[in-house]
Amino acid sequence: LPLLSLLLSLLLSLGGCAGGSCPPRCVCASNILSCSQAVLSTVPAPLPRFTAVLDLSHNNVTRLRADWAPGRLAHLHALLLSHNGLSFVSTEAFTHVPHLRHLDLSSNRLRVLEENLFSDLAELEVLLLYNNEISSVDRTAFENLGRLRKLYLGQNRIARFPLELLRDGSRLPQLTLLDLSANRLHNLPVGELQALPAWLRDRLYLHGNPLACSCPLFQLVARGHRRQLSAVVDFEKELRCLLPSASAPVGILALDSQQPLNCSEAREAVLEAHLGDTVTLSCDTRLRGVRQRHWVTPGGERVLEEAGNGSSSSAALLANGSLQLQALRPEDAGTYACWVAGPLFNETLYVELLVHNFTLHGPHDTLNTAYTTLVGCILSVVLVLIYLYLTPCRCCCCHGSEKPAAPRDDSINSSVLSTTPNHAAPGPEEPCRSRSASANSTGQNGRFKAGGTPQPPPPRHGPKAQRKVSDPDSVSSVFSDTPIVV
C-alpha cells in the first residue's frame, strides 16, 4: 500500500507538470476548459496543453493578439469567443492552433475581415461570424480553408460578398452552407448563383436582405422552391424584395403576378441543341457525393452504364452522374429524368432537351425559314423588274424613232355618234405591225380566224375606191354610213 500511494502521487505530479494546472475562475473537465462568464479581459495563462475545447464566451476579451497562446496547443480543435465585444483579431492569432476545426467569433464587434485572416486554419470546418458589424470582406480572408464546410455571416453589414470564392469550387471546395442573411445585399449575380451546384444552393441563405426585385431573381427563387431547397422552403416568407415604386417589400415568389414586372412562371432545366451536337445533361442533385443514380430517356429507356446500356442509343452515363448524348437526332428531344437514391431521401430531377431540326456549324447548314422566304421575295422582285425593263423588242422595224401608236382598228373604240368612217386609211408614216395571221389563212366557212386582218382588195379608181373594208367581226356604229360586212 505505501508503494502504491507513492506511485500514484508521482504520476499526478508528472501529469501536472506536463499538462499544466486549471486556471483560476475556470472549470476543467477532462480535456475541456470552460472559462465562460468569468469576467476575463484577457485569455488566462498558462493554458493546459491537453486542452481540446476552450470556452471563453461571455467575457470582456476585446482584443485577440498573436501571443494569447504562447505555447503550441496541438490538441485544441474548438475555440469559443462569442459575446466578448471583440473588435480586433491579429492575422497571426491562430498560428499556434493549426488543428482548430470549430471557431466561434459570433456576437462581437468585428468590422473588417482582413487579408489572410484565417489562412493558418487549414483544418477549419465551421466558422461562426454572425451578429457582428462586418461591412468589408477581403477575398483572401478565407484563403487556404480547403476543409471549411459551414460559414455563418448573417446579421452583419455586408453589401457585397466575393461570390467568386464559390464560382469554380477550388477555393472552398467543401463548403455546404453559406449564411448571408440579414445583411445589406441589394443586387445579386443571379447567373452565378444559378450555376452553383444544388447541394450548395440548398443552404445558401439570402433572406432578410434589401434585394431589388427582378424577374431573374424570381426565377432563381421559384426554381429553388420547386426543387424544395431548404434555403427557400424554410424561409419563404422572409425572402422579400423592393419594387422601384413600392414603399414596402413584397414576397419574391409573388412577382409572377406583381406589376410592373409581371414575371413569367419559372421553368425546369431546359437545354437547347442542334442536330449532330454532343450535349451533357447534369444531374444537379441536393445530395453531395451520391453514387446511386440512373437516367431514364424520353422513350423509357433506362441508362445505367457508360456504354448506353448496350443498345443503339447515343446516351451514356458518365462517372460524375451526368448523361452524355452524342450525334443528336430529332427523336432525342424530350424530358430526361435523373433518379437519385440517398441515405435520407430520394430525388428525381427533370431536364428538358430541345433539338432544333438543323445543324449549327455543319458544312450543309439548312437556311432559316424566315431568311429563305426573304431571299425568295427579293429574287422574285428582281426577276419581275428584269422582265419589265430589260426584255428586248421583238418587232422587225421598231428600231426607229418612237411614235404614238395608231388607233385600234375595231369599231368598239369608235364614237357612237361619229359620222366618219370607222377606219381611216393608214398613213405613209404608220409604223409596221406584227402580223398575227397570214392574209390567206381562213377559218371555217371561209371566214378569217380571230385576230387576223383581211388583206385589203386592190385599189380601184373612182370615188368609192377610197373606202376601207371593215373587219369581218367588227360591229359598225349605229349612225355610220360604213356598210356592215357579214
Side-chain angles (χ1 to χ4, degrees):
L1 290 177
L3 182 61
L4 183 58
S5 61
L6 179 62
L7 182 60
L8 289 175
S9 61
L10 180 61
L11 290 176
L12 289 174
S13 62
L14 290 176
C17 295
S21 59
C22 187
R25 304 182 191 177
C26 300
V27 177
C28 297
S30 181
N31 59 356
I32 299 176
L33 180 58
S34 177
C35 303
S36 179
Q37 297 182 355
V39 197
L40 300 175
S41 58
T42 59
V43 179
L47 293 173
R49 287 182 293 175
F50 59 80
T51 303
V53 179
L54 177 58
D55 185 3
L56 295 171
S57 61
H58 296 276
N59 282 287
N60 298 318
V61 182
T62 58
R63 301 178 69 86
L64 191 64
R65 302 181 182 273
D67 57 352
W68 71 272
R72 185 180 179 87
L73 301 175
H75 300 281
L76 188 65
H77 63 78
L79 177 59
L80 311 178
L81 282 166
S82 63
H83 297 278
N84 269 278
L86 193 64
S87 60
F88 172 78
V89 177
S90 173
T91 55
E92 300 177 356
F94 308 107
T95 304
H96 300 295
V97 287
H99 303 295
L100 201 65
R101 297 196 302 269
H102 184 98
L103 177 59
D104 186 0
L105 297 174
S106 63
S107 300
N108 283 293
R109 296 180 180 177
L110 298 176
R111 296 184 178 180
V112 179
L113 298 183
E114 297 181 356
E115 181 180 359
N116 297 318
L117 181 59
F118 307 106
S119 59
D120 292 327
L121 303 175
E123 299 180 12
L124 190 65
E125 297 179 2
V126 180
L127 178 57
L128 288 80
L129 291 166
Y130 62 87
N131 195 24
N132 275 276
E133 301 175 2
I134 300 173
S135 59
S136 176
V137 179
D138 191 274
R139 64 183 61 187
T140 63
F142 308 105
E143 200 75 26
N144 200 30
L145 298 183
R147 296 186 182 180
L148 187 65
R149 297 186 296 108
K150 299 179 180 181
L151 176 58
Y152 295 87
L153 286 166
Q155 296 287 339
N156 278 285
R157 303 175 182 177
I158 301 174
R160 182 191 179 278
F161 180 80
L163 288 174
E164 55 267 19
L165 300 177
L166 314 175
R167 184 179 303 160
D168 53 0
S170 60
R171 298 189 182 184
L172 298 174
Q174 301 295 326
L175 191 66
T176 59
L177 186 150
L178 176 58
D179 181 15
L180 292 172
S181 62
N183 275 278
R184 298 181 179 179
L185 299 175
H186 185 68
N187 294 314
L188 293 177
V190 178
E192 296 182 11
L193 294 179
Q194 187 62 40
L196 296 177
W199 50 263
L200 180 54
R201 286 186 284 117
D202 185 38
R203 294 188 177 183
L204 177 59
Y205 299 99
L206 298 169
H207 58 275
N209 283 280
L211 300 173
C213 294
S214 65
C215 287
L217 178 63
F218 164 76
Q219 298 284 344
L220 175 68
V221 176
R223 291 192 185 102
H225 188 269
R226 179 173 296 179
R227 292 285 304 276
Q228 294 294 304
L229 300 183
S230 300
V232 177
V233 176
D234 297 342
F235 298 93
E236 178 179 347
K237 296 182 179 179
E238 288 80 5
L239 283 169
R240 307 175 70 83
C241 62
L242 294 172
L243 288 169
S245 58
S247 58
V250 298
I252 296 179
L253 292 178
L255 292 179
D256 56 343
S257 58
Q258 187 75 28
Q259 297 294 336
L261 297 181
N262 196 21
C263 300
S264 59
E265 182 180 358
R267 302 175 61 186
E268 291 287 348
V270 179
L271 183 63
E272 297 186 16
H274 302 81
L275 291 179
D277 288 352
T278 298
V279 297
T280 301
L281 309 182
S282 175
C283 189
D284 191 20
T285 175
R286 288 180 288 165
L287 300 175
R288 184 177 182 183
V290 66
R291 297 295 181 183
Q292 300 179 3
R293 71 182 82 191
H294 67 271
W295 284 85
V296 178
T297 64
E301 180 182 359
R302 187 171 180 178
V303 183
L304 295 172
E305 302 174 357
E306 294 189 10
N309 207 18
S311 64
S312 59
S313 175
S314 60
L317 184 63
L318 302 182
N320 61 355
S322 300
L323 183 67
Q324 186 179 74
L325 302 174
Q326 299 180 354
L328 287 180
R329 303 164 297 176
E331 54 267 26
D332 292 331
T335 302
Y336 292 77
C338 178
W339 297 77
V340 182
L344 300 178
F345 61 91
N346 297 333
E347 189 176 9
T348 305
L349 309 178
Y350 298 95
V351 179
E352 182 181 356
L353 177 63
L354 304 178
V355 180
H356 297 289
N357 198 17
F358 58 90
T359 58
L360 183 61
H361 301 292
H364 303 288
D365 290 346
T366 305
L367 294 178
N368 186 274
T369 305
Y371 178 75
T372 306
T373 305
L374 178 62
V375 172
C377 293
I378 295 176
L379 291 178
S380 301
V381 173
V382 171
L383 292 177
V384 170
L385 294 177
I386 292 176
Y387 176 78
L388 292 177
Y389 295 99
L390 299 182
T391 303
C393 180
R394 298 179 181 270
C395 298
C396 59
C397 55
C398 293
H399 299 287
S401 59
E402 298 182 359
K403 294 183 179 180
R408 298 182 60 179
D409 291 338
D410 51 16
S411 61
I412 298 177
N413 294 331
S414 61
S415 176
V416 178
L417 303 178
S418 175
T419 57
T420 58
N422 200 25
H423 302 281
E429 297 180 357
E430 181 180 0
C432 64
R433 300 170 184 170
S434 57
R435 297 176 176 85
S436 58
S438 173
N440 298 326
S441 61
T442 59
Q444 295 180 358
N445 299 326
R447 299 182 60 181
F448 291 99
K449 293 182 179 181
T453 303
Q455 188 71 16
R460 292 186 252 176
H461 300 283
K464 296 183 179 181
Q466 296 180 358
R467 302 177 68 92
K468 183 180 178 181
V469 180
S470 303
D471 290 340
D473 295 334
S474 63
V475 180
S476 60
S477 175
V478 177
F479 300 97
S480 174
D481 58 353
T482 306
I484 298 177
V485 181
V486 180

